[in-house]
Amino acid sequence: PALGLFLFTIARDPLRIIILIAGAFFWLVSLLLSSLIWFIAVKASDPRDEPLQKGLLIFGVMFSVLLQEAFRFLYYKLLRKAIEGLVALSEDGCSPISIQQMAYVAGVGFGLMSGAFSMINLLADALGPGTVGIHGDSQLYFLTSAFMTMVLIFLHTFWGILFFHGCEHRRWWEIMAVVVMHLAVSGSTFCNPLYVGSLVPSYLLMAAAATWAYLLSGGSAQNLRRFLLCKS
């Protein structure tokens, strides 16, 4: 599904590809900084203290989420400056891409890079040693991880639309809603290997975020009905 989003809505437009790659780069930098902080914290602590190490892991995840959203805001500010430059260079005084389209493409960029790293980590685990479920644990680790990766890609896309809309109209509660949803989804992964505890809430939040983003983008029930019936 994520590849379909890229091929059908982004791949044909060079400007959208540039925005997507830049968004992926911003997410990558946020991951690098959060990983560096977590690595230093782990090395500076006692590795035999299991409660402390678990607390540091929770801290690392929450800090990473906040840093990602901070870089999303920085990317919004950068794109806002880019729109002003595009308007100044255009002959008709209009930008070739709207802030709503930028928000969507930037969200896809964040999501695709997040999904790529999740996939790399899974492939590294698949090399072994050991076999998933050999001690009676769930054998659905890779399948549920794939579904979790997919929902995170879509959530980043919808969060990008909501976040940019909140920044554009100075609705700070929309920005806070994105941060809270991101923290909730990331925190739900600590329920694993009880995968129902992470997948079900994440998909429910995805449905809510998708509906919200659709309405903020100008969508309506009538437009959706026309789309499903293939009417212009």
Side-chain angles (χ1 to χ4, degrees):
L3 181 61
L5 285 180
F6 172 76
L7 291 177
F8 292 112
T9 64
I10 298 175
R12 298 179 182 179
D13 190 329
L15 182 58
R16 294 187 182 188
I17 293 177
I18 293 173
I19 295 172
L20 180 138
I21 294 175
F25 174 76
F26 267 71
W27 186 91
L28 198 59
V29 173
S30 71
L31 178 68
L32 175 64
L33 292 178
S34 59
S35 299
L36 181 62
I37 297 297
W38 180 79
F39 179 79
I40 293 174
V42 169
K43 290 299 182 180
S45 61
D46 184 3
R48 294 169 295 180
D49 191 344
E50 293 186 3
L52 176 61
Q53 293 301 316
K54 185 176 181 179
L56 288 176
L57 179 60
I58 295 174
F59 163 77
V61 171
M62 300 300 112
F63 180 79
S64 177
V65 168
L66 296 177
L67 201 57
Q68 287 177 48
E69 298 306 328
F71 270 80
R72 199 193 302 273
F73 178 74
L74 292 176
Y75 192 41
Y76 162 78
K77 301 294 287 186
L78 178 65
L79 290 178
R80 209 67 192 85
K81 292 292 184 182
I83 287 182
E84 296 175 3
L86 291 172
V87 170
L89 293 174
S90 64
E91 297 180 355
D92 56 357
C94 297
S95 173
I97 185 170
S98 66
I99 190 66
Q100 291 86 356
Q101 292 171 336
M102 282 186 170
Y104 163 74
V105 177
V108 175
F110 268 61
L112 287 179
M113 185 55 68
S114 172
F117 262 80
S118 297
M119 184 179 69
I120 291 172
N121 289 334
L122 287 174
L123 293 177
D125 289 339
L127 292 176
T131 302
V132 175
I134 194 172
H135 293 298
D137 296 324
S138 174
Q139 299 183 9
L140 302 177
Y141 171 70
F142 293 110
L143 182 62
T144 53
S145 296
F147 276 99
M148 195 67 191
T149 300
M150 183 176 69
V151 75
L152 279 174
I153 294 174
F154 280 120
L155 278 171
H156 271 294
T157 302
F158 303 140
W159 288 338
I161 297 172
L162 298 175
F163 195 97
F164 278 43
H165 185 272
C167 293
E168 192 72 7
H169 298 275
R170 298 189 180 278
R171 296 181 179 177
W172 307 117
W173 59 272
E174 291 182 350
I175 299 174
M176 288 304 302
V178 171
V179 175
V180 170
M181 283 191 287
H182 200 167
L183 288 170
V185 172
S186 298
S188 69
T189 58
F190 290 107
C191 296
N192 295 337
L194 182 61
Y195 298 115
V196 175
S198 59
L199 282 177
V200 173
S202 297
Y203 273 85
L204 290 176
L205 279 176
M206 185 193 72
T211 304
W212 193 0
Y214 176 72
L215 295 175
L216 289 182
S217 301
S220 64
Q222 184 179 9
N223 291 340
L224 182 60
R225 183 165 56 253
R226 288 178 176 177
F227 168 73
L228 294 175
L229 296 177
C230 299
K231 293 182 178 181
S232 59

